[in-house]
């Protein structure tokens, strides 16, 4: 078995919901880097972006990842932009196998279009999703151990697919 399990993926990819299911299937505790960042800063994510900017938010995210290295028994759900920082791409696999929850940009947009996420408060959020997705795709690829396309899957099917893939991968490594 793995020590922890890390979920990365674009906003709306289902990291929190799938993370909750994975937590109940594995018995691991669910932690969410956005929640830890907000706790650390004593303010909400939109407030951090508004008052201090994205760079400050990214530095807080890195601090949270550093604090998770060495812990065991966690499902770690991350913020969608965590892979944009090189140091984070280095830290993520040190925590545990990194699972990229992927879906088509169109699907992702449908899931986030009514949300208040700071980076999507633009004149054309559909285009923003498309552009951010294209820019981040290679970074998720670089950080991840496995990729699951959840476009046509329920959260439960996605969680089960994650565990099946990780177990399959472990078996292959043991051979
Ligand atoms: C962000 C995604 C958000 C949150 C912040 C920045 C991003 O998390 O960390 O608003 O850069 O994609 P979710 O992926 O959970 O929405």
């Amino acid at each position: 078995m793995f020590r922890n399990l890390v979920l990365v993926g674009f906003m709306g990819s289902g990291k929190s919901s799938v993370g909750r299911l994975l937590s109940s299937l594995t018995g691991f505790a669910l932690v969410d880097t956005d929640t830890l960042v907000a706790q650390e800063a004593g303010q909400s994510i939109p407030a951090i972006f508004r008052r201090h900017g994205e760079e400050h938010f990214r530095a807080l995210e890195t601090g949270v990842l550093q604090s998770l290295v060495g812990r065991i028994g966690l499902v770690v759900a991350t913020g969608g932009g965590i892979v944009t920082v090189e140091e984070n791409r280095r830290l993520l696999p040190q925590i545990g196998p990194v699972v990229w929850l992927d879906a088509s940009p169109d699907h992702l947009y449908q899931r986030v279009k009514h949300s208040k996420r700071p980076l999507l408060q633009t004149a054309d959020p559909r285009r923003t999703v498309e552009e951010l997705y294209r820019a981040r795709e290679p970074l998720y690829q670089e950080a991840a151990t496995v990729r699951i396309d959840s476009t046509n899957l329920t959260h439960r099917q996605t969680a089960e697919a994650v565990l099946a893939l990780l177990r399959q991968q472990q078996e292959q490594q043991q051979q």
Side-chain angles (χ1 to χ4, degrees):
M1 261 291 259
F2 23 87
R3 303 186 301 282
N4 301 297
L5 205 163
V6 184
L7 299 175
V8 299
F10 204 81
M11 295 172 261
S13 59
K15 290 161 295 186
S16 305
S17 308
V18 173
R20 262 192 300 278
L21 285 165
L22 282 167
S23 161
S24 76
L25 289 168
T26 58
F28 287 1
L30 177 66
V31 297
D32 184 309
T33 59
D34 276 350
T35 307
L36 296 178
V37 164
Q39 273 169 8
E40 175 75 19
Q43 45 195 320
S44 69
I45 305 294
I48 300 170
F49 270 79
R50 201 171 52 243
R51 296 187 191 138
H52 310 285
E54 181 173 351
E55 213 174 309
H56 181 71
F57 172 77
R58 297 293 168 211
L60 292 173
E61 264 185 331
T62 302
V64 161
L65 283 188
Q66 282 164 344
S67 75
L68 294 176
V69 174
R71 301 268 309 269
I72 51 166
L74 302 178
V75 174
V76 181
T78 60
I82 207 148
V83 295
T84 59
V85 174
E86 192 182 351
E87 172 71 354
N88 295 350
R89 297 198 296 279
R90 200 183 62 77
L91 288 167
L92 287 163
Q94 291 182 31
I95 299 170
V98 180
V99 178
W100 173 18
L101 296 187
D102 198 17
S104 70
D106 207 46
H107 202 76
L108 294 166
Y109 174 69
Q110 294 306 324
R111 291 196 196 151
V112 295
K113 65 180 176 187
H114 298 303
S115 85
K116 296 211 162 30
R117 286 172 170 88
L119 292 179
L120 300 182
Q121 306 311 304
T122 61
D124 187 350
R126 181 185 284 270
R127 189 167 168 179
T128 307
V129 166
E130 182 78 34
E131 286 172 357
L132 276 177
Y133 180 89
R134 294 291 161 228
R136 290 176 176 181
E137 198 179 9
L139 305 176
Y140 293 126
Q141 179 89 47
E142 184 189 321
T145 321
V146 295
R147 169 183 174 270
I148 309 266
D149 185 349
S150 70
T151 306
N152 297 309
L153 301 180
T154 63
H155 288 328
R156 178 158 288 275
Q157 286 169 331
T158 306
E160 282 163 1
V162 167
L163 291 179
L165 251 180
L166 288 179
R167 286 191 181 124
Q168 192 186 51
Q169 212 191 39
Q170 268 196 334
E171 276 164 21
Q172 280 164 1
Q173 280 165 3
Q174 278 159 10
Q175 277 163 16

